Amino acid sequence: MSFEECYRSARAFGRGVRAGTYERMFEPVAGAANDRPPPIEICRALISAPKLLLLDEPSAGMTHDETTELMNDIMVVRERNKYLTIIIRRARDGVIERITDRCIVLNFGRKIAEGPYRKVAADVQVQEAYLGVA
C-alpha cells in the first residue's frame, strides 16, 4: 500500500470515529498539549497500514463512557482491518472481554493462560496472579 493509500485510509477511519478526532489527527505534534485522546494516536498509527498495533493501557484515566467510545473505535479498526493484529497490554476486564478473540495472560514474563476470555478469566492461576483469589 502506498503512502497516499495509507493516508486516505487513515483519513477515512478518522471520519468514522468520535467527533473531533479527524480534525485533530493532522495537528502538528510540536507544541501540542499532551491530551490527545487514544483514537487520535490510533489514527496516526494506522496511516502506515501496520500489521500489528500495540496499545498500552488504552483506557487509562478514562471514564466508563469514554472507555466505551474507545472500544467502539477499536471495534471499527478491527472490522476495517481484517489482517491487523491488535495487542492490548493491561486493560480493564470489560475491555478485554468485549474486543478480544483470544487472550494470553503473562505473570512475571511467563505465560500462565491462553484462550477465549471466559476460559482465561476462570483460570485459577490467572485469578491468583491478578485478583489474589482462587
Side-chain angles (χ1 to χ4, degrees):
M1 186 179 281
S2 71
F3 175 80
E4 289 79 18
E5 291 170 318
C6 294
Y7 183 76
R8 280 193 300 274
S9 176
R11 288 176 66 109
F13 170 72
R15 287 188 193 106
V17 297
R18 194 174 327 164
T21 299
Y22 171 74
E23 294 80 13
R24 292 189 64 200
M25 186 172 76
F26 299 100
E27 291 176 0
V29 175
N34 193 18
D35 66 344
R36 293 185 191 283
I40 292 171
E41 300 308 327
I42 292 170
C43 287
R44 286 183 170 193
L46 293 173
I47 288 174
S48 64
K51 291 185 170 124
L52 175 65
L53 180 63
L54 303 172
L55 302 176
D56 184 12
E57 299 185 63
S59 61
M62 291 183 160
T63 66
H64 176 73
D65 290 342
E66 291 169 332
T67 298
T68 299
E69 287 181 33
L70 176 63
M71 293 309 99
N72 291 340
D73 293 343
I74 291 173
M75 296 299 285
V76 169
V77 170
R78 286 187 64 202
E79 182 62 33
R80 293 184 183 177
N81 299 278
K82 297 291 186 189
Y83 300 104
L84 175 66
T85 298
I86 302 173
I87 295 177
I88 300 175
R89 180 186 162 273
R90 294 187 68 188
R92 298 175 189 154
D93 284 349
V95 170
I96 297 298
E97 181 176 15
R98 181 168 173 220
I99 65 172
T100 60
D101 296 322
R102 182 175 62 134
C103 298
I104 299 172
V105 179
L106 303 176
N107 188 27
F108 295 106
R110 187 177 67 84
K111 182 169 70 170
I112 60 172
E114 179 176 358
Y117 173 82
R118 291 193 189 280
K119 176 184 171 197
V120 169
D123 186 277
V124 174
Q125 288 184 46
V126 172
Q127 291 177 3
E128 288 175 353
Y130 287 91
L131 303 175
V133 295

